[in-house]
Amino acid sequence: MLHAFTLGSGDSIFSDILPSIAQAQFEVLFVTCFWAKSSSLDRVSSCLRNLSKRALERESKVRVRICLSSLSLLQKLYHTSSPAGRTYSPSVWVKKFGLPPPEDLRGLDLEIKSVFIRPFSVMHPKFIVIDRKYLYLPSCNVSWENWLEGCLQASGPLVNHFVNFWQDFWANDVDKRSSSSTVSQEVDVSAPEFHRTVSQPSLSRPFASTVGCKKVLLDLANAETAFLLSPHHANPRFRPFPWQPAIPPPQTPLNTFLLHAFDNAASKIYIQTPNITSPPVLKALLVALKRGVNIHIVTSERLMLLEQLVTAGTTTVRCLRRLKDQHQQLHAERQKPLLDEEQGPNQSLGSLRIEFFVKGFSDAQLQLSPEPVQSHLKLTVVDNQTIVFGSGNMDRASWFTSQELGVAIVSPSLAGSVMRSLEECLASRTKLDFDG
């Protein structure tokens, strides 16, 4: 069951999620990538204190597992490269993580764990599972950035895939043997598996909501969904010299699904991503343009430039400049008359539209609080019916080294609702770079 899709800043997204976390009965799985001092962290800390208080009033404990990858550059440089990661003592919860002291969290069975594999393998997924029933899939980290983010809310069979993933990758030995698990089968991540969600009984409590964001209520019970994992890879497989042949990306379920969707697109591909530097993505989009598929890209012009240069050796602006040049060259070639009449007419060329996200004006159609200054949303819509949403960017790091998680959904009605909400949200928040 898909319940809602929310657009807003990271702070407003967490404000929307945390009331549900505060009502957890026995477990909260909180998986994110980056963790930093911020108003979002202050909200998380207050929520955990309240959750502990409620648990003590019930004379019970709530298991809370916080899983992350990055605290700072220094932390990553000195982090163990063991997949087992590092578990942190309660003595550092206050100073290192900005959480309440352990005596204020006596109602929680709390564990904090980080995993980072040098040089670039960051664990990038972001999701929250409450009582193994309710799933939140935000694009935001626990950090200070005022960026445009999104969040999908769901329940039902889809939740089991995320719990299984957490058990396989993050859970300690005790948690893996826990009798509270409601999932009995491992998920085969060798290929994406579609399943149709079935109608669920009415939720015992609704997904909580706050102001400051755009929330679309869905209540879709018949959409096809697929859980898409992209495991991390320690070897970035760089090809720094121009005479070296390009290599294909790891054949993960997420990468494979996206390339298949691009290759089989019939009319339109919409991509909103923080960065776009992945050679396989750019190549697939060029091929789609040649087939007559219209491409619309919304991205950021100057977001995480140093990270782009280190992990990809290039930037979004450079990659899009080359894509624009290739598109204009194809357009010029299609305008030339054919010398051989038997070749038939030129195949129509798809249009290419590129926009950069900018901070909204005071007269923006939809007021968001706080106002996003960059876009961090990771969303792909193909042919107005297939949506891929999750943690993965269209950059080289996400495609070659980072661990990523996504969800594919086939639903024309959902695609229409999401695109209408995005159009409203992006009004007065983009600048046109190319339209050809």
Side-chain angles (χ1 to χ4, degrees):
M1 175 79 76
L2 304 175
H3 296 277
F5 181 76
T6 307
L7 293 167
S9 67
D11 203 37
S12 65
I13 294 289
F14 276 115
S15 296
D16 193 61
I17 296 173
L18 293 175
S20 293
I21 293 180
Q23 299 179 56
Q25 298 300 302
F26 73 88
E27 183 184 65
V28 176
L29 307 178
F30 194 123
V31 179
T32 189
C33 177
F34 183 49
W35 186 280
K37 291 183 178 180
S38 58
S39 58
S40 295
L41 176 53
D42 293 340
R43 295 177 190 276
V44 171
S45 297
S46 177
C47 176
L48 292 179
R49 183 182 280 110
N50 292 334
L51 179 61
S52 174
K53 181 180 178 181
R54 291 183 180 183
L56 291 174
E57 290 172 352
R58 299 194 307 266
E59 297 184 349
S60 64
K61 276 200 171 186
V62 177
R63 177 167 58 187
V64 177
R65 297 294 181 258
I66 297 176
C67 311
L68 57 101
S69 193
S70 175
L71 288 166
S72 66
L73 176 60
L74 190 64
Q75 171 253 347
K76 288 190 283 189
L77 288 174
Y78 290 96
H79 199 284
T80 174
S81 287
S82 168
R86 179 182 177 185
T87 301
Y88 295 86
S89 165
S91 63
V92 303
W93 288 355
V94 176
K95 183 176 181 180
K96 187 176 286 289
F97 296 97
L99 294 179
E103 56 267 25
D104 289 353
L105 302 177
R106 291 180 294 108
L108 305 182
D109 170 16
L110 174 62
E111 179 183 275
I112 304 176
K113 181 178 179 179
S114 64
V115 178
F116 176 79
I117 311 296
R118 291 189 298 270
F120 303 123
S121 292
V122 68
M123 307 304 124
H124 204 228
K126 306 161 186 67
F127 65 89
I128 298 168
V129 176
I130 302 172
D131 293 337
R132 308 209 171 187
K133 295 180 180 179
Y134 312 105
L135 169 69
Y136 288 85
L137 193 63
S139 64
C140 49
N141 299 293
V142 180
S143 63
W144 65 84
E145 300 100 342
N146 285 334
W147 295 344
L148 179 67
E149 308 281 3
C151 181
L152 183 69
Q153 301 174 13
S155 64
L158 183 62
V159 180
N160 293 349
H161 291 270
F162 286 86
V163 174
N164 273 340
F165 164 76
W166 173 81
Q167 286 183 313
D168 290 343
F169 187 81
W170 289 103
N172 59 43
D173 291 338
V174 175
D175 288 341
K176 288 181 179 180
R177 295 192 299 266
S178 172
S179 61
S180 64
S181 172
T182 60
V183 183
S184 59
Q185 286 188 320
E186 300 293 334
V187 178
D188 179 8
V189 299
S190 59
E193 175 190 357
F194 270 101
H195 62 83
R196 187 175 296 275
T197 59
V198 296
S199 298
Q200 301 291 316
S202 298
L203 298 177
S204 59
R205 55 181 172 78
F207 284 93
S209 179
T210 57
V211 297
C213 53
K214 172 68 175 179
K215 191 165 189 175
V216 182
L217 299 179
L218 303 173
D219 287 330
L220 293 177
N222 60 349
E224 290 182 306
T225 61
F227 175 85
L228 303 174
L229 170 64
S230 193
H232 71 275
H233 295 82
N235 183 2
R237 300 196 290 176
F238 287 137
R239 294 295 185 269
F241 303 108
W243 60 82
Q244 292 180 300
I247 60 172
Q251 292 186 352
T252 69
L254 180 58
N255 289 351
T256 300
F257 185 94
L258 284 168
L259 290 178
H260 179 79
F262 295 155
D263 290 343
N264 290 274
S267 59
K268 183 178 181 180
I269 298 173
Y270 176 88
I271 294 175
Q272 188 157 341
T273 178
N275 294 308
I276 179 166
T277 59
S278 173
V281 173
L282 295 162
K283 179 181 178 181
L285 295 182
L286 182 63
V287 172
L289 286 168
K290 292 178 181 179
R291 296 200 318 270
V293 177
N294 299 325
I295 309 292
H296 186 182
I297 299 171
V298 177
T299 186
S300 298
E301 190 172 17
R302 299 181 61 83
L303 181 62
M304 299 179 288
L305 289 177
L306 180 59
E307 180 180 311
Q308 294 180 57
L309 290 170
V310 171
T311 60
T314 186
T315 65
T316 291
V317 171
R318 290 180 188 173
C319 291
L320 290 181
R321 184 184 302 126
R322 184 165 186 266
L323 183 62
K324 291 184 291 185
D325 291 343
Q326 292 171 320
H327 183 266
Q328 290 176 319
Q329 182 179 355
L330 288 171
H331 181 73
E333 292 175 355
R334 300 290 172 99
Q335 300 305 309
K336 296 178 181 179
L338 293 175
L339 298 179
D340 186 355
E341 295 182 358
E342 293 184 359
Q343 293 183 31
N346 277 322
Q347 185 178 12
S348 61
L349 181 68
S351 65
L352 175 63
R353 183 179 178 89
I354 298 172
E355 295 178 279
F356 290 123
F357 187 89
V358 296
K359 184 177 180 180
F361 301 107
S362 58
D363 61 347
Q365 182 178 350
L366 175 65
Q367 295 295 318
L368 298 175
S369 178
E371 175 62 34
V373 297
Q374 299 277 13
S375 174
H376 194 239
L377 185 66
K378 307 107 181 326
L379 177 73
T380 299
V381 182
V382 178
D383 292 338
N384 294 315
Q385 65 175 1
T386 302
I387 294 177
V388 180
F389 178 77
S391 67
N393 303 322
M394 294 295 174
D395 58 14
R396 195 184 192 281
S398 285
W399 279 68
F400 282 84
T401 57
S402 300
Q403 181 192 82
E404 306 288 357
L405 276 182
V407 173
I409 308 163
V410 179
S411 171
S413 62
L414 174 61
S417 297
V418 168
M419 291 307 299
R420 285 190 296 272
S421 298
L422 267 177
E423 289 172 4
E424 181 182 358
C425 186
L426 294 178
S428 301
R429 290 189 175 93
T430 61
K431 69 174 182 178
L432 183 63
D433 178 67
F434 183 80
D435 193 6

